[in-house]
Amino acid sequence: MSDWIETSWSALGMVFISAIAVYAWVIILTRISGLRSFSKMSGFDFAMTVATGSAAAGIFIAKDPPLLQGLFALFVLFAMQMAIAAVRKRSSFVEKLVANEPRLIMWRTEYIEEQMKKAKITRSDVIAKLREANVTRFDQIYAVVAETTGDVSVLHGEPGTALDKGLLTDVIGYDPERHRPSGVTDTA
């Protein structure tokens, strides 16, 4: 039982040194690779953030892996993320493979069940996001989109104002002919 609670001063010192080294290394790698390293632009970016946090925690909490091995693992994660980002710019195939596409899950007061099912989002999830967005009436809603990151965006405003359909470019389930109520203008 005492193994769970007690430790030595040398072990605490090693955690302290490892934490400083990992923190400095992550700052250096972030400066080299850019802020996208911790963005949530795509599911791949989010996975990178989680993997970096997990690796960093493992490095300075445990003896195994050794500090240099752990720092190298972080370097490899950042290098992979930079390589994938570079290839995504050049290859639409890799872009489609790595990135999710946003989905229209609600238009005005109409839930789009097929898209909600594909995004694995329930009506109660949507209602929670509407509350988060401070929607007070359903007639304020223009569109609700399941984003590439897993976040849900709520486009809303006062009734009678127009929604620029350019905001829904490349959103799966948005069809300008089928999903265009009279209050939406043709500006893009």
Side-chain angles (χ1 to χ4, degrees):
M1 179 94 102
S2 66
D3 291 344
W4 290 0
I5 299 170
E6 297 173 6
T7 190
S8 68
W9 286 106
S10 63
L12 291 176
M14 289 311 297
V15 168
F16 182 74
I17 291 168
S18 296
I20 290 172
V22 168
Y23 186 76
W25 189 236
V26 167
I27 288 172
I28 290 167
L29 291 173
T30 302
R31 297 286 291 167
I32 292 168
S33 67
L35 290 177
R36 184 175 181 128
S37 302
F38 294 109
S39 75
K40 282 180 44 179
M41 293 181 174
S42 72
F44 178 77
D45 295 321
F46 180 69
M48 168 66 185
T49 301
V50 171
T52 300
S54 179
I59 294 166
F60 64 82
I61 295 295
K63 287 188 255 184
D64 194 22
L67 179 59
L68 290 179
Q69 186 177 338
L71 295 179
F72 184 72
L74 285 173
F75 170 78
V76 170
L77 279 172
F78 276 80
M80 284 179 8
Q81 203 249 0
M82 288 172 53
I84 293 292
V87 172
R88 283 175 63 185
K89 288 180 185 177
R90 294 181 187 93
S91 169
S92 60
F93 172 75
V94 173
E95 174 67 22
K96 290 217 180 260
L97 188 66
V98 172
N100 296 319
E101 293 180 286
R103 293 182 178 279
L104 184 66
I105 57 174
M106 186 173 187
W107 182 263
R108 294 290 187 180
T109 59
E110 175 189 347
Y111 292 95
I112 304 173
E113 300 289 344
E114 176 185 340
Q115 297 301 330
M116 289 173 60
K117 186 175 181 179
K118 288 179 180 175
K120 296 177 179 39
I121 294 175
T122 65
R123 284 182 180 223
S124 53
D125 295 333
V126 174
I127 294 294
K129 289 298 181 179
L130 295 175
R131 288 191 301 261
E132 274 183 31
N134 295 319
V135 171
T136 57
R137 295 183 325 269
F138 281 100
D139 65 351
Q140 295 173 318
I141 303 166
Y142 293 117
V144 179
V145 177
E147 299 291 355
T148 61
T149 60
D151 291 335
V152 175
S153 296
V154 178
L155 303 172
H156 63 95
E158 286 306 311
T161 58
L163 172 66
D164 187 333
K165 69 181 182 180
L167 292 171
L168 298 175
T169 301
D170 297 329
V171 173
I172 295 173
Y174 175 70
D175 177 356
E177 299 305 317
R178 185 170 158 245
H179 292 289
R180 200 177 104 215
S182 59
V184 175
T185 63
D186 238 354
T187 59

